[in-house]
Amino acid sequence: MKSAESDMGDDLQRARKAITSGFLKGNGLEVGAGHRPFPVPDHVRIRYGDIRDRESLESYFKNSEVKTGDKIDAQTFAGLDTGSFDFVILAHVIEHLRDPVGSIMHAVRILKPGAVLILVVPDLLCTFDRNRPETTVEHALRDYQDGGESTTRLGYEEHLRYVHPYLTGEYYLEDEIQRQATESAKRWRELDVHFHAWTLDGFEMLLSAVAELIPFDIEVAEAAINENIFILRKRLGASG
């Protein structure tokens, strides 16, 4: 018998496929697929990558059926050629990155002109982030300026104050929140949390602002169960 979690996962995959199937063609890349890769049609070719190796992914997801491939950092897409993919997929990845705008910039860079970036972002109101403040456009643009250095500690502070109690029922005193946030920020490469959280409208506002800096147009912004799906198309004539 299927669990409720499994049923929701199946529903999400069907919703993802329905929203995006007409946009996927050619040669693509998904970074951070974990054990639930994004559904793609049979006629496309897809490559997988992650910052973690297989052993680390299996431990993180507690699942041996993980998608692995090249070591690829979704923050920088370093080592990948400009204009080399027909689509790139980041599903439940961007909220983990210190500089989401920088990630979008580099993802668009590796797309061919006219190709698409699919971003799947958990909805703040439907997940364990529901009690935390939404990441503002100003916050994300500041992260773009300094790589997230000035707001990393705040991400851990919000996790400790709003997310940890929701997940565990355990509340920390303010002094302990401040102490742990300071220590966690020193080890940010090791300690994975959501540094950011958005609603559908909040992330679309961010994308609208970022579209003034990066050559893409927003083609889809649609809710799907507990996540939001955005499809960005790299403008024709864009060189980087």
Side-chain angles (χ1 to χ4, degrees), residues 142-196:
R142 186 163 68 252
D143 291 338
Y144 182 50
Q145 294 298 317
D146 68 6
E149 186 172 339
S150 63
T151 62
T152 295
R153 187 186 178 285
L154 177 61
Y156 289 110
E157 189 177 320
E158 289 183 354
H159 178 86
L160 292 161
R161 181 175 291 118
Y162 302 110
V163 180
H164 181 80
Y166 181 83
L167 292 174
T168 67
E170 178 184 23
Y171 290 82
Y172 292 123
L173 295 174
E174 187 62 26
D175 286 352
E176 181 62 13
I177 290 173
Q178 298 301 324
R179 186 193 70 79
Q180 287 200 34
T182 297
E183 291 303 310
S184 296
K186 297 174 184 176
R187 301 170 53 208
W188 65 267
R189 289 181 177 83
E190 308 167 38
L191 302 177
D192 185 29
V193 295
H194 288 186
F195 286 111
H196 307 90

Side-chain angles (χ1 to χ4, degrees), residues 9-224:
D10 292 343
D11 290 343
L12 281 171
Q13 292 293 68
R14 283 192 288 270
R16 290 174 172 186
K17 187 174 182 179
I19 293 169
T20 65
S21 60
F23 291 90
L24 298 175
K25 62 180 182 180
N27 177 44
L29 169 70
E30 181 173 7
V31 180
H35 68 295
R36 191 179 290 276
F38 197 91
V40 297
D42 293 338
H43 62 265
V44 308
R45 298 179 303 280
I46 188 159
R47 173 180 172 185
Y48 293 98
D50 203 289
I51 194 67
R52 301 181 179 93
D53 60 21
R54 172 173 285 279
E55 184 178 356
S56 299
L57 285 169
E58 290 178 353
S59 175
Y60 181 81
F61 288 105
K62 297 178 173 56
N63 191 309
S64 61
E65 297 182 5
V66 294
K67 287 291 184 181
T68 61
D70 299 317
K71 185 172 183 178
I72 299 174
D73 186 351
Q75 181 63 76
T76 65
F77 292 90
L80 297 174
D81 292 338
T82 296
S84 55
F85 291 97
D86 296 297
F87 64 90
V88 171
I89 299 169
L90 292 177
H92 290 242
V93 170
I94 199 107
E95 66 278 5
H96 294 268
L97 303 177
R98 296 206 305 171
D99 173 17
V101 176
S103 173
I104 294 170
M105 178 188 73
H106 291 297
V108 170
R109 175 187 64 78
I110 66 172
L111 289 172
K112 299 174 183 177
V116 296
L117 169 61
I118 295 176
L119 295 170
V120 184
V121 187
D123 192 303
L124 180 155
L125 301 176
C126 303
T127 67
F128 53 70
D129 284 320
R130 65 186 63 201
N131 296 322
R132 70 188 293 173
E134 182 164 15
T135 301
T136 64
V137 172
E138 293 74 20
H139 178 138
L141 292 178
R142 186 163 68 252
D143 291 338
Y144 182 50
Q145 294 298 317
D146 68 6
E149 186 172 339
S150 63
T151 62
T152 295
R153 187 186 178 285
L154 177 61
Y156 289 110
E157 189 177 320
E158 289 183 354
H159 178 86
L160 292 161
R161 181 175 291 118
Y162 302 110
V163 180
H164 181 80
Y166 181 83
L167 292 174
T168 67
E170 178 184 23
Y171 290 82
Y172 292 123
L173 295 174
E174 187 62 26
D175 286 352
E176 181 62 13
I177 290 173
Q178 298 301 324
R179 186 193 70 79
Q180 287 200 34
T182 297
E183 291 303 310
S184 296
K186 297 174 184 176
R187 301 170 53 208
W188 65 267
R189 289 181 177 83
E190 308 167 38
L191 302 177
D192 185 29
V193 295
H194 288 186
F195 286 111
H196 307 90
W198 294 277
T199 59
L200 176 68
D201 290 343
F203 197 75
E204 189 170 10
M205 286 176 59
L206 173 60
L207 291 177
S208 295
V210 174
E212 300 296 319
L213 307 172
I214 302 170
F216 67 79
D217 296 304
I218 305 168
E219 296 215 347
V220 172
E222 191 167 334

